[in-house]
Amino acid sequence: MSSMSPGKLNSQKIKASTTPEKFHNSDVDQTLEAFKLLIQSCYGPNGYLKTIQNSCGGQVMITSSSSVLVRQLSVSRPILKLILAAVGGHIAACSDGGLFCALLTTNLVKSCRELDLHPVLCIEVNELLLKMCGEFLDANCVSINVSDVQTMLSLVRTVISTKPACGLSVRDTNIIANLTLQAFLNGLPSPTEQSLRIPAVRYILVEGQTPAESSIVEGVLIECPEIPTYATKERDNLRRHSISVALYNTSLSGDEEGIPDIAMETKEGVHLEDASLNQLLVLGRHLVQQKIGLLACQKVVHPQLKRFLRSHGVLTIDRLSLLHIDAVQTITGARVLGTLQACIPEGSLGHLDGMVHLVMHGKSYFHLQNPSRPVSTFVLCNRTESSLDELKATCSAANHVLALTLSHPMAVPGAGCFEACLAAHLHQQSATIDSEVLIDLGCTRSQFKTAANNFIHCIEQVARATEHGQDTQITDSIHHHRWPLPRGVNPSDWLNRCACGMKSFDRSSDWQILGAKGDGATHKLKDPVETKDFAEQNHLGKEQNKCDIQDQGFLEADKELGFLLDSFVVKQNALHVAVETANIVLRIHHTIEDR
């Protein structure tokens, strides 16, 4: 056998190489266009669904939700990784508005690259207009009354109705929206508590039932498959009141997991397993002496310990997940014990007012009850596994939006009307820009107009993306809201309320195509008839800048007509993340990859 010299061996190693790639090339443009079409086709209540499956097969996911898309999409381009990371950060903070953020980011990057302007100038104009957007948001947000049920339901419905993968009818949407709000309100702390915490909602998923079968259960449900659903005797034996609870997150099975990793010496004839079991039985006797009614453990409990405790009237629940042990800790107030100490301090014990065996949708559950610590379990039903997963993600997002609204009780018009109003405001502001601003930017008025119109057009394109398959979307010269116009329909015969439902069309006003490049031709409707503002018809204030929808008359109208609201915090954060991410991408000149 011949030997090989070290030098020759090293020369045969494959060397890694870094390949610089210019950001401004056709491949990047095609990638951005494909990503834009993917996001845009998912946008809005009529968005198209996407099926996601990895290259090795496995579960097929059907979704149009940004949280699922960002988590499941596998991209190789560094630019797309950067955009997805930014959108993922926004979703982690707000749970909603991910598609808006991704679409606006991609629109800005793609359109600014096509302009005959220096990228730095586009970035500076984008930052200036973003500041104008912030001022417009602060001055024109909708002040809402968080104690009004109908107003809060409008926020929830806006989130749920934009997820077609949930497969909900209008009736199902109203039922799920009401239950989502009920679960959120049930989890709020009592007025006597000093700290305000975000309500955590627990979900039990039931596949094969209609969404109308969903319900809210006060307390915590823990599945117990070892108890048959027909065991009425067991059901009666499990009915308890005023129970002390001990909660463990360590193994009570007597195996080596609960023993420290040290060397141990034993006498001849002494078995470690028997000694561990004796220690567990000693713990069980102390639990009985302390009148513990329920032992809950995150891991496994030894069968002999279970039998011993059961013979003394102590119930045992083991194999709790991290989610369930947190729920048990919340409803009982118990401290999690991590050691096998015999005597448990009184302050570490929890309390339950009651515990029963509950049979629901063909499964057995332990139902833990404690009215003094409000915890709700959302029993969520849907027809298929994929629609059920999508519905759970949607309800979680709606719960997060309600929590954000509780801390910032403001909203903006939904269904693309806010974007149309924002675009109209930016048109007015950019047309009267001061000469000093142009000097600071170092550009001519024509260059500024080109960059500003591009930014505004990107906002309008997001508003237009809410509809799919409609040729015309218009905006008026008074309210500047968005009116979708089906093809072949005369505006004078069709226009009534805007997309969000908050404004009625004034037939004496001018209208123009939303998102049309250039100045856009204005038109008037035939046979102008004065129609008052929808809010004025319901006795709202006549302020131009603020719109207060706390008035009961407006909410009575909503019960019949409905209106759509977006969270102020979600929209504000999505707008900032989108523009700032686009500016970062525009500064990139090369991407360097390790091949």
Side-chain angles (χ1 to χ4, degrees), residues 472-503:
T472 308
Q473 297 182 54
I474 69 172
T475 180
D476 68 315
S477 59
I478 297 179
H479 307 305
H480 306 294
H481 278 230
R482 184 183 72 87
W483 274 265
L485 192 64
R487 62 182 68 179
V489 176
N490 191 330
S492 60
D493 300 331
W494 190 84
L495 290 177
N496 184 15
R497 287 193 304 138
C498 66
C500 73
M502 295 180 64
K503 300 292 181 181

Side-chain angles (χ1 to χ4, degrees), residues 519-550:
D519 295 333
T522 59
H523 309 271
K524 281 185 176 293
L525 296 181
K526 298 179 181 179
D527 303 325
V529 179
E530 291 292 336
T531 303
K532 290 185 177 181
D533 182 277
F534 181 73
E536 292 178 3
Q537 289 178 351
N538 293 278
H539 313 293
L540 292 183
K542 298 182 179 181
E543 297 180 23
Q544 293 289 334
N545 293 333
K546 293 272 186 177
C547 179
D548 187 355
I549 64 170
Q550 299 179 19

Side-chain angles (χ1 to χ4, degrees), residues 32 42 99 103 133 246 257 283 288 306 311 331 360-361 368 375 391 421 446 448 492 539 545 554 591:
L32 289 173
C42 295
L99 292 179
L103 185 56
C133 292
E257 183 180 351
L283 173 64
V288 173
K306 280 185 177 182
S311 66
I331 196 172
M360 186 170 51
H361 298 292
L368 312 184
V375 177
L391 185 58
C421 294
S446 176
F448 174 81
S492 60
H539 313 293
N545 293 333
F554 184 82
T591 59

Side-chain angles (χ1 to χ4, degrees), residues 21 23-33 77 113:
E21 180 182 15
F23 177 59
H24 297 275
N25 59 41
S26 58
D27 290 342
V28 176
D29 291 334
Q30 293 175 2
T31 301
L32 289 173
E33 178 66 21
R77 290 282 182 179
R113 284 165 50 86

Side-chain angles (χ1 to χ4, degrees), residues 306-493:
K306 280 185 177 182
R307 286 193 293 269
F308 174 80
L309 294 175
R310 188 176 183 83
S311 66
H312 289 81
V314 181
L315 297 177
T316 303
I317 302 176
D318 61 350
R319 293 185 175 91
L320 294 175
S321 65
L322 287 174
L323 182 63
H324 280 143
I325 196 171
D326 178 67
V328 173
Q329 185 180 15
T330 301
I331 196 172
T332 63
R335 295 180 184 176
V336 179
L337 302 173
T339 59
L340 301 181
Q341 54 185 355
C343 186
I344 303 174
E346 287 293 334
S348 298
L349 297 178
H351 176 77
L352 284 175
D353 278 5
M355 177 176 173
V356 297
H357 174 227
L358 180 66
V359 176
M360 186 170 51
H361 298 292
K363 292 184 178 181
S364 293
Y365 295 93
F366 291 118
H367 184 196
L368 312 184
Q369 304 167 339
N370 192 357
S372 61
R373 289 179 169 268
V375 177
S376 294
T377 299
F378 198 160
V379 181
L380 203 55
C381 304
N382 215 335
R383 299 172 181 85
T384 63
E385 181 182 1
S386 60
S387 61
L388 187 59
D389 292 337
E390 184 85 352
L391 185 58
K392 179 187 176 182
T394 302
C395 291
S396 299
N399 185 75
H400 195 176
V401 168
L402 289 173
L404 294 174
T405 306
L406 195 63
S407 59
H408 297 82
M410 294 174 288
V412 295
C417 287
F418 164 75
E419 290 83 356
C421 294
L422 178 60
H425 172 77
L426 294 178
H427 270 301
Q428 297 173 358
Q429 294 296 314
S430 61
T432 58
I433 197 71
D434 293 337
S435 300
E436 296 179 357
V437 176
L438 299 178
I439 294 174
D440 293 339
L441 292 174
C443 66
T444 64
R445 187 170 295 274
S446 176
Q447 289 174 326
F448 174 81
K449 184 179 179 180
T450 301
N453 286 344
N454 176 73
F455 185 96
I456 297 168
H457 184 67
C458 290
I459 297 287
E460 292 173 334
Q461 287 299 104
V462 175
R464 290 179 58 85
T466 55
E467 301 290 339
H468 300 269
Q470 288 186 332
D471 292 341
T472 308
Q473 297 182 54
I474 69 172
T475 180
D476 68 315
S477 59
I478 297 179
H479 307 305
H480 306 294
H481 278 230
R482 184 183 72 87
W483 274 265
L485 192 64
R487 62 182 68 179
V489 176
N490 191 330
S492 60
D493 300 331

Side-chain angles (χ1 to χ4, degrees), residues 62-246:
I62 303 176
T63 185
S64 65
S65 175
S66 58
S67 59
V68 179
L69 288 173
V70 170
R71 186 174 65 250
Q72 297 294 333
L73 280 180
S74 177
V75 296
S76 58
R77 290 282 182 179
I79 302 302
L80 291 186
K81 289 183 179 180
L82 176 61
I83 294 176
L84 287 177
V87 175
H90 165 75
I91 294 173
C94 300
S95 295
D96 191 32
L99 292 179
F100 170 88
C101 182
L103 185 56
L104 181 57
T105 302
T106 312
N107 282 345
L108 284 171
V109 173
K110 189 173 182 300
S111 59
C112 287
R113 284 165 50 86
E114 296 172 354
L115 296 178
D116 190 19
L117 297 174
H118 197 281
V120 175
L121 176 59
C122 295
I123 292 170
E124 292 178 349
V125 173
N126 290 347
E127 291 176 348
L128 177 62
L129 294 184
L130 177 61
K131 183 180 179 181
M132 294 181 184
C133 292
E135 295 170 352
F136 177 80
L137 266 171
D138 294 336
N140 293 272
C141 61
V142 179
S143 176
I144 66 176
N145 182 7
V146 296
S147 64
D148 188 274
V149 173
Q150 295 298 329
T151 305
M152 301 297 279
L153 280 176
S154 298
L155 287 166
V156 178
R157 275 197 297 264
T158 303
V159 177
I160 296 176
S161 62
T162 56
K163 304 297 185 293
C166 296
L168 302 180
S169 64
V170 175
R171 177 174 176 270
D172 292 338
T173 299
N174 291 330
I175 290 174
I176 296 299
N178 279 275
L179 292 176
T180 301
L181 181 59
Q182 179 185 344
F184 174 80
L185 295 177
N186 289 347
L188 290 176
S190 61
T192 57
E193 294 190 30
Q194 296 180 353
S195 60
L196 180 63
R197 52 181 171 78
I198 302 300
V201 180
R202 277 79 187 177
Y203 294 92
I204 297 291
L205 304 183
V206 180
E207 182 184 348
Q209 303 288 335
T210 64
E213 301 294 325
S214 302
S215 62
I216 301 294
V217 177
E218 298 293 334
V220 174
L221 293 180
I222 300 176
E223 189 174 352
C224 52
E226 64 274 10
I227 301 178
T229 57
Y230 54 83
T232 56
K233 182 178 180 180
E234 292 285 347
R235 193 177 309 171
D236 295 335
N237 292 337
L238 282 174
R239 191 176 300 276
R240 304 293 178 87
H241 300 283
S242 188
I243 306 171
S244 295
V245 181

